[in-house]
Structure formats: structure tokens, C-alpha cells
């Protein structure tokens, strides 16, 4: 039987291919038809879209492609000679299994499935259809997230998740949870947890369900984001609305916090996926970083699969082009972003070793996950404009300030804080002893506070307006470390309770090391950092970077870091006045956070840095619609007529006039 031959699509007419899954009993051969149709906001055919995992490309099954939908299906099905009119199409076993489960016995089902609806051998069509996928998943009647056939008590897990999700509502932006019914228990209460009857069988079934490869696949982020209320999670014969599923995952991660390392890991990974789907990010590099741990068979799709998830102007004019190599796609995107935004935002996601072939270290490898969380709440460059350019030799030259040098890497320290309070206290004692000394820590709150900030990168509730709930303040955490320094192993006194501080430290230290610098400061740096590496602040880059001199006036990018005392623009403008601090304020009208400066005496906030002083003569600030949420204004010079996006007080020449010592860093 001949293989199926694809007819070309008319892209200008907005054509797509839909398949009709013909009815039959579950074990009968799979037969479909494939037809082209127009898909637009004005012309929407009735179809469902499938979200699934391709699986092993070498494990394949053939299906029949009939020339048209038979008028009398029963006659066609019983007459094997009519199948001679059909062609065959090879698909992966995973998809074959999905089609068997999704097929109805007595009626047809119209679907869009990427592996069938797109000619995967035609690179031009493949790129064009990737651009159509946002419309496809947005306009589909339903989106089916196929998790796989029933196994390992998956029905138990699906029923539990459905029941739990229906009892609660979740605000993913503010991370709040409430009972759906006023007659139900508060979801945060012990009574609610007890009523769930979350036993060992259910826990194991949830663990196994969330371990399925669908939760690791990159393309599902786009597919479910675009579908939202039309998405359904399907496993075997069980079906749960995506909204209920995500509600349940929020409860398990944020409230229940299950025991068992593997269960905690699978719930955490599913939570990150659901959080991203429910609370989309607006910056391309944020989306890329959030999805680095997701899997896709083609490295270029780490970019192409997420373009539709950000606003049009964040897509940088990128069009899927599968003739380019992975490193070419990543480098092109970096340079487009630098040109468009005049910032080095993406360089903070670089780590070594960089596994991309023939790629400079200043280009992030979005296809690998370093395991490190991005450094939070950083404004080391004060939103300055980058002064950087690349040349044909692959060098990126950037203006910045050399801040300090790594003196000692505390490589022998534990990488994770254990669960038990006693073990946690012992680990924190080691950290204190290696950096401050336990005797000194007992009486020197200032140095303990510096260590406390560094271990969790100054991520505390008071850094937010309104304050984030659910984790310890800086003062509480510093007192805890002092209590750890005083506590004696074997003492009859109970060890201090770590609470949320331990979890925050584990999250922020993952993949990183603690170091001291030559000017006696603490820094949290990538594990690849060595003694002698430099720490600098580049214009246009919010976090300090660890750079390694190569002996030839050039530097390798090791990665971003937390440098205590240099995260709020101190390198450029000096110390913050005592009564001021940098915070992240939530603006509900824009559903977003923005950096502002808080006057602790009055409680007032301002987007203007108190260290800057007034604008020069002729300059004034012109607000625009998004100034409150974006912490950005236009600057107008009434004398010259010049309009600037960047604060003229923070331009390179203005900072030099303040005495800031800049140099050019040649990054390779």
C-alpha cells in the first residue's frame, strides 16, 4: 500500500489540515481522512486539538488514510477490498495509542494533531504552521491533553484531583486559595486536609500520574495557555477540566506540601508548569527561563514554541526557521533583543559549561536547565541603557564596572538544608562557622543579617508591597541563625525551628556556591566559580555577573550572582539613604509588579531613585499610560526637543561625571 502524499497548503488563504478519526471498535485498525480547510476568526471549523507527547520516533505504527469520509461507514469497514483505495501514514506508537483511546465507536471525531496535520518533512511548511498554532489552539472547540493510557492507579489520582479541584478557587497572581463553598472547610485548615483522606495509595497514584512525560513537554505550555477553560486533562477513560487540575496542584504544592522526595519533586514540577500557564509572563527571557526544564525533540523549539506566549513586540520579529542551527537561533535572538531593548537582560541566563557548539559564552543555552533560580529582586544597574556591541569574531564588548574579585569559594559546604530541625541547625552552624564564626554570630547581628540575606538572596516578604505571605521576614530569619549559632548538638534544649527560611535557602542556593570576596563581602555565585573570578556590573544588566579572565584581555561569562551590598544600584550611586529601600510593588490594575523606592518614614513610594537628585535644566519627566506599572517614563528636554526613553541622569557620561570608573569588558 502506498504511503500518504501531502498536498501543499495555501498559507495565504490560512489553510490548515484537519483529520477525521473514523469510528470503530478499540482494537480495530486506525483509519482517518485528511482534508484542508480555512481557519480564521471569521471561519472556524468544528474541531478538537490534541496536546500529547510524540514519544520514541523509532517506535512507529502505520494507520490508514482513506481518500474521503465514507457515506456508509459500516459497509466500508466490512469490505476490506475498499481499503485498497487507502494509503498509509506512519506515526509514533504514543500517538497510535492515543488515537485508539480517543476514537468513538459509532461516530467520527475531527481533530488537529501536529504530527499528522503538518507535513513534518517540509521545513518551510513546518515553520509556517508553527506560526498558526496559536490560532489553532485558541479557536479549537476543545483541547485534549492526552496523558496516556490508564495505569498505576491513574484513575484514583484523576478522581482525587477532580474532587479536590472542584472544592477550591485559586488566585495564581496573588497566590491565594479559598473554598468554593461557604459551607466547606478553609483549605488552609487541618480539617480540610483531614477531610481529603489523602492516603498512601492516593499519594503514590498522584506521584505516578505527575511523573508522566506530558508534564515535561515544552509545547504543552503554549497549547494549554491558549486553550485555558477549553482544555481537558485525559488519562485513559478519565477526564478532568484543566482548571480543576491546576487548582488541585496549587493546593498540593502551596498548602499540603507532601512528604516523600519523589512526590515533592513531581508536584513541584507540575506546580511550576501550572503556575506558568495560569500566570503568563510578559518578557520573552522570563518565558524562556521558565520553560528550560521542559523537553522538546528539536532545540530550536525552545524559542519557537513560546513566541506566542508573549506580546507581539517581545517576539523580536522572529519567525520559525528550521534551516538555522540551534546556536544560530539563540545568538540571533540575543542580538535582536539587545538591539530592540538596548539592554543585556538575556545575559543573566548564561552559565558554564555552555553545551552549544560554536557559541560564545554570552549567549544563553535555552535547551539546558542549570537548575538555578534567577536572582530575584535585583536592580544592580538601575535600569540603565546597555552600551554593548558584537563583532564578526563573536566578541561582545560591553561597558561596566569591576566591583570585586572572588577570594574564597566555600566549596565544602552542604548544598541542601535537611528536613529535620536538628540537622538544619547543624548545617546552618557550618555555614555560620565558615563565614562569620559561631562565637561572633552570637553577638554580631549585622554580620548575621548579611549572611541571612545572602543565603536566600534577600528574598523576604518586606521586599514586596503588599508583603508576601507564607515565609519569614529578614529579622525573624536572622534571629533564627543566631539561635542556631547558640544551639549545642546533644543539648537538652530543642533545636530552633527553621520554618520557611530553610525552604527559601534551598531554592536559592540550588546549583550555587557561597563565596567571600577580596573586599570581605558575601556572594552567592554559580558552582563553576573559581578563586580569582571577577564580579562586575554591566550597564543594562540587572544582576552582577561573574566573569573569568582568559589572560588575553577577554572574559568568559560564568553566570549571574548575588553580591550583598550591590543589588540596588550601590555600584553606580552609592549606598541607599537609611530611610529608603527598593521594593517590588503590585499594581492590580495591570496585574504586575514593578520596582519602586519606599520611604519608610512616610510609607510613600516613588519610581524615582532618591540618590539621583533633580533632573538637569531643561529636562522633565513625561508619564505615559504604563508608567505606574512599568516604573518607566519618557524624558523630554524642552530646550533641545530631545525625547529619551532612558533617564539622562543615568547615561554613561553622567555616571562618569559622578566618578564611576567604567571599563570595556570583551566577552567571548
Amino acid at each position: 500500500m502506498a504511503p500518504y502524499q501531502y498536498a501543499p497548503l495555501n498559507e495565504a488563504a490560512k489553510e490548515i489540515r484537519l483529520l477525521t478519526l473514523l469510528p470503530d471498535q478499540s482494537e480495530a485498525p486506525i483509519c482517518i481522512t485528511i482534508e484542508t480547510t480555512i481557519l480564521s476568526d471569521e471561519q472556524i471549523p468544528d474541531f478538537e486539538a490534541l496536546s500529547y507527547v510524540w514519544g520514541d520516533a523509532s517506535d512507529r505504527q502505520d494507520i490508514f488514510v482513506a481518500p474521503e469520509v465514507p457515506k456508509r461507514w459500516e459497509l466500508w469497514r466490512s469490505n476490506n477490498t475498499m481499503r485498497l483505495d487507502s494509503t498509509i501514514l506512519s506515526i509514533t506508537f504514543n500517538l497510535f495509542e492515543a488515537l485508539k483511546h480517543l476514537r468513538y465507536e459509532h461516530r467520527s471525531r475531527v481533530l488537529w494533531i501536529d504530527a499528522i496535520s503538518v507535513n513534518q518533512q517540509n521545513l518551510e511548511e513546518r515553520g509556517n504552521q508553527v506560526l498558526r498554532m496559536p490560532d489553532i489552539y485558541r479557536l479549537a472547540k476543545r483541547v485534549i491533553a492526552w496523558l496516556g493510557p490508564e495505569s498505576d492507579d491513574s484513575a484514583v489520582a484523576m478522581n482525587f484531583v477532580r474532587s479536590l479541584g472542584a472544592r477550591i478557587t485559586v488566585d495564581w497572581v496573588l497566590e491565594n486559595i479559598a473554598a468554593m463553598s461557604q459551607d466547606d472547610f478553609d483549605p488552609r485548615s487541618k480539617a480540610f486536609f483531614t477531610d481529603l483522606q489523602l492516603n498512601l495509595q492516593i499519594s503514590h497514584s498522584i506521584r505516578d500520574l505527575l511523573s508522566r512525560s506530558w508534564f515535561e513537554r515544552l509545547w504543552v505550555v503554549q497549547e494549554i495557555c491558549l486553550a485555558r477553560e477549553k482544555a481537558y486533562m485525559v488519562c485513559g477513560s478519565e477526564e478532568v477540566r484543566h482548571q480543576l487540575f491546576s487548582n488541585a496542584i496549587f493546593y498540593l504544592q502551596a498548602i499540603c506540601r507532601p512528604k516523600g522526595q519523589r512526590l515533592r519533586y513531581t508536584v513541584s514540577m507540575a506546580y511550576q508548569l501550572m503556575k506558568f500557564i495560569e500566570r503568563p509572563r510578559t518578557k520573552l527571557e522570563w518565558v524562556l527561563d521558565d520553560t528550560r526544564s521542559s523537553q522538546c525533540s528539536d532545540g530550536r523549539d525552545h524559542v519557537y514554541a513560546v513566541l506566542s506566549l508573549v506580546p507581539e513586540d517581545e517576539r523580536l520579529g522572529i519567525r520559525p526557521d528550521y534551516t538555522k542551527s540551534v546556536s544560530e537561533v539563540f545568538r540571533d535572538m540575543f542580538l535582536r533583543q539587545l538591539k530592540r531593548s538596548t539592554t543585556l537582560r538575556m545575559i543573566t541566563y548564561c552559565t558554564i559549561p555552555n553545551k552549544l557548539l560554536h557559541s560564545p559564552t554570552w549567549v544563553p543555552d535555552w535547551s539546558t536547565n542549570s537548575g538555578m533560580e534567577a536572582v530575584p529582586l535585583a536592580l544592580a544597574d538601575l535600569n540603565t541603557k546597555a552600551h554593548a556591541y558584537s563583532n564578526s569574531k563573536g566578541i561582545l564588548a560591553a561597558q561596566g564596572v569591576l566591583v570585586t574579585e572572588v577570594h574564597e569559594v566555600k566549596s565544602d559546604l552542604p548544598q541542601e538544608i535537611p528536613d529535620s530541625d536538628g540537622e538544619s541547625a547543624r548545617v546552618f552552624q557550618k555555614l555560620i562557622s565558615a563565614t562569620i564564626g559561631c562565637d561572633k554570630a552570637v553577638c554580631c547581628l549585622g554580620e548575621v543579617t548579611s549572611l541571612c540575606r545572602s543565603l536566600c538572596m534577600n528574598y523576604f516578604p518586606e521586599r514586596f508591597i503588599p508583603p508576601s505571605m507564607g515565609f519569614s521576614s529578614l529579622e525573624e530569619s536572622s534571629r533564627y541563625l543566631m539561635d542556631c549559632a547558640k544551639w549545642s548538638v546533644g543539648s537538652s534544649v530543642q533545636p530552633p525551628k527553621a520554618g520557611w527560611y530553610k525552604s527559601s535557602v534551598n531554592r536559592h542556593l540550588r546549583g550555587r556556591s557561597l563565596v567571600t570576596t577580596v573586599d570581605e563581602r558575601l556572594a552567592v555565585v554559580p558552582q563553576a566559580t573559581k578563586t580569582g573570578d571577577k564580579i562586575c556590573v554591566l550597564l543594562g544588566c540587572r544582576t552582577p555577573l561573574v566573569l573569568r579572565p582568559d589572560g588575553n584581555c577577554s572574559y568568559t561569562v560564568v553566570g549571574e550572582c548575588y553580591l550583598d551590598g550591590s543589588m540596588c544600584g550601590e555600584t553606580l550611586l552609592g549606598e541607599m539613604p537609611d530611610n529608603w529601600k527598593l521594593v517590588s510593588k503590585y499594581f492590580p490594575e495591570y496585574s504586575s509588579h514593578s520596582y519602586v523606592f519606599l520611604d519608610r518614614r512616610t510609607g510613600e513610594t516613588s519610581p524615582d531613585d532618591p540618590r539621583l537628585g533633580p533632573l538637569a535644566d531643561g529636562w522633565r519627566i513625561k508619564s505615559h499610560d504604563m508608567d505606574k506599572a512599568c516604573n518607566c517614563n519618557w524624558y523630554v528636554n524642552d530646550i533641545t526637543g530631545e525625547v529619551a526613553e532612558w533617564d539622562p541622569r543615568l547615561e554613561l557620561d553622567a555616571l562618569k561625571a559622578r566618578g564611576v570608573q567604567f571599563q570595556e569588558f570583551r566577552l567571548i
Side-chain angles (χ1 to χ4, degrees), residues 268-327:
S268 175
M269 294 303 291
Y271 172 81
Q272 293 302 324
L273 173 62
M274 298 301 160
K275 180 179 178 180
F276 183 83
I277 291 170
E278 298 294 339
R279 194 172 70 181
R281 311 295 292 273
T282 56
K283 298 292 184 185
L284 179 57
E285 67 270 19
W286 296 347
V287 175
L288 291 165
D289 186 52
D290 285 343
T291 56
R292 283 174 96 162
S293 59
S294 299
Q295 303 298 312
C296 57
S297 57
D298 191 319
R300 293 165 289 200
D301 287 337
H302 278 278
V303 174
Y304 299 155
V306 300
L307 289 176
S308 65
L309 303 179
V310 295
E312 183 69 37
D313 63 339
E314 275 289 315
R315 300 174 194 173
L316 306 174
I318 297 172
R319 292 183 62 86
D321 183 353
Y322 289 95
T323 64
K324 290 182 177 180
S325 68
V326 176
S327 59

Side-chain angles (χ1 to χ4, degrees), residues 191-210:
F192 186 94
F193 176 78
T194 302
D195 191 56
L196 286 177
Q197 299 181 353
L198 180 57
N199 58 34
L200 194 62
Q201 180 195 14
I202 295 173
S203 295
H204 286 174
S205 70
I206 292 171
R207 176 199 66 194
D208 293 337
L209 180 69
L210 299 182

